[in-house]
């Protein structure tokens, strides 16, 4: 399809796969500059705060963003009880606020949960710190994170994103890599 051709043009033709045995982690700065080895530098400030005052990382989930349109949530990932859902708000002409919610419906907690994202060069992205890195069992709480996207080619090029999720479940470290499709066309 045209969208997949566009993804191949933007992100390269390398296929993305999930792995439960990831390679040794690179230093943090290298991961930021080479996330998934495709897109160059991304402002990814998703480090978890150490004090109680940093628990929310200055982020609130009730967005003050004004939007004349309403967008349905996007189910980005739902596998083995782990769920990632994006909700959207438009702030200004080409700025989109994405509120990401991460939940776990399993009976066992998920630890070490991290979300990383890469976008094409025509999109600026800032990722706020998450509210935590443990997903409690039975969906009894969620970790949330705010992404700010500015699409300099709004109207001509869609929002595209590659995501890397890393977490430990039942003592096994998992790495999931995926391409996010389905952003509302008018974002």
């Amino acid at each position: 399809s045209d969208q997949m051709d566009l993804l191949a043009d933007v992100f390269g033709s390398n296929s993305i796969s999930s792995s439960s045995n990831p390679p040794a982690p690179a230093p943090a700065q290298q991961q930021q500059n080479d996330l998934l080895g495709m897109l160059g530098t991304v402002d990814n400030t998703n480090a978890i705060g150490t004090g109680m005052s940093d628990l929310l990382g200055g982020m609130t989930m009730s967005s003050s963003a004004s939007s004349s349109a309403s967008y349905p949530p996007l189910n980005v990932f739902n596998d083995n009880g782990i769920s990632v859902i994006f909700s959207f708000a438009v702030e200004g002409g080409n700025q989109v606020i994405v509120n990401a919610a991460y939940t776990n419906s399993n009976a066992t907690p998920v630890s070490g949960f991290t979300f990383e994202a890469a976008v094409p060069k025509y999109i600026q992205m800032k990722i706020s710190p998450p509210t935590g890195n443990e997903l409690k069992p039975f969906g009894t709480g969620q970790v949330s994170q705010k992404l700010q996207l500015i699409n300099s080619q709004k109207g001509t090029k869609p929002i595209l994103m590659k995501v890397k999720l890393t977490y430990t479940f039942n003592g096994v470290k998992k790495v999931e890599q995926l391409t996010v499709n389905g952003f509302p066309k008018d974002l």
Side-chain angles (χ1 to χ4, degrees), residues 22-35:
Q29 185 61 37
Q30 182 181 349
Q31 286 178 346
Q32 288 177 347
N33 292 336
D34 193 32
L35 175 65

Side-chain angles (χ1 to χ4, degrees), residues 6-12 35 38-42 117-125 149-153 157-162 179-180 183:
L6 181 59
L7 287 172
D9 291 344
V10 172
F11 295 115
L35 175 65
M38 300 171 287
L39 298 175
T41 302
V42 174
V119 294
K121 291 180 182 180
Y122 63 87
I123 298 175
Q124 295 176 0
M125 177 174 61
L149 306 175
I150 298 175
N151 183 353
S152 65
Q153 300 291 317
K157 292 188 178 182
I159 295 176
L160 303 172
M161 183 181 292
K162 289 215 177 191
T179 299
V180 178
F183 283 92

Side-chain angles (χ1 to χ4, degrees), residues 129-150:
T131 57
N133 70 348
E134 182 175 318
L135 304 180
K136 296 183 185 211
F138 302 114
T140 57
Q142 73 178 20
V143 170
S144 55
Q145 194 165 18
K146 181 173 145 182
L147 294 77
Q148 296 174 310
L149 306 175
I150 298 175

Side-chain angles (χ1 to χ4, degrees), residues 4-179:
M4 292 312 293
D5 291 342
L6 181 59
L7 287 172
D9 291 344
V10 172
F11 295 115
S13 60
N14 294 338
S15 64
I16 299 296
S17 62
S18 297
S19 169
S20 60
N21 296 322
Q29 185 61 37
Q30 182 181 349
Q31 286 178 346
Q32 288 177 347
N33 292 336
D34 193 32
L35 175 65
L36 308 178
M38 300 171 287
L39 298 175
T41 302
V42 174
D43 179 11
N44 183 354
T45 55
N46 68 352
I48 296 173
T50 57
M52 188 60 121
S53 65
D54 289 336
L55 183 60
L56 295 178
M59 179 184 85
T60 60
M61 291 308 294
S62 60
S63 175
S64 61
S66 61
S67 174
S68 59
S70 177
Y71 301 99
L74 176 62
N75 188 350
V76 174
F77 179 80
N78 193 352
D79 194 27
N80 296 319
I82 309 299
S83 177
V84 176
I85 297 176
F86 285 176
S87 58
F88 308 98
V90 175
E91 196 172 88
N94 61 354
Q95 183 174 350
V96 176
I97 304 299
V98 178
N99 290 309
Y102 317 126
T103 57
N104 169 25
S105 63
N106 295 297
T108 307
V110 170
S111 62
F113 185 88
T114 60
F115 170 93
E116 296 175 277
V119 294
K121 291 180 182 180
Y122 63 87
I123 298 175
Q124 295 176 0
M125 177 174 61
K126 180 175 182 182
I127 302 177
S128 297
T131 57
N133 70 348
E134 182 175 318
L135 304 180
K136 296 183 185 211
F138 302 114
T140 57
Q142 73 178 20
V143 170
S144 55
Q145 194 165 18
K146 181 173 145 182
L147 294 77
Q148 296 174 310
L149 306 175
I150 298 175
N151 183 353
S152 65
Q153 300 291 317
K154 182 178 179 179
T156 58
K157 292 188 178 182
I159 295 176
L160 303 172
M161 183 181 292
K162 289 215 177 191
V163 169
K164 180 178 177 182
L165 306 173
T166 307
Y167 57 92
T168 301
F169 179 67
N170 283 334
V172 178
K173 186 172 183 178
K174 302 262 189 184
V175 176
E176 308 282 351
Q177 297 181 28
L178 55 132
T179 299

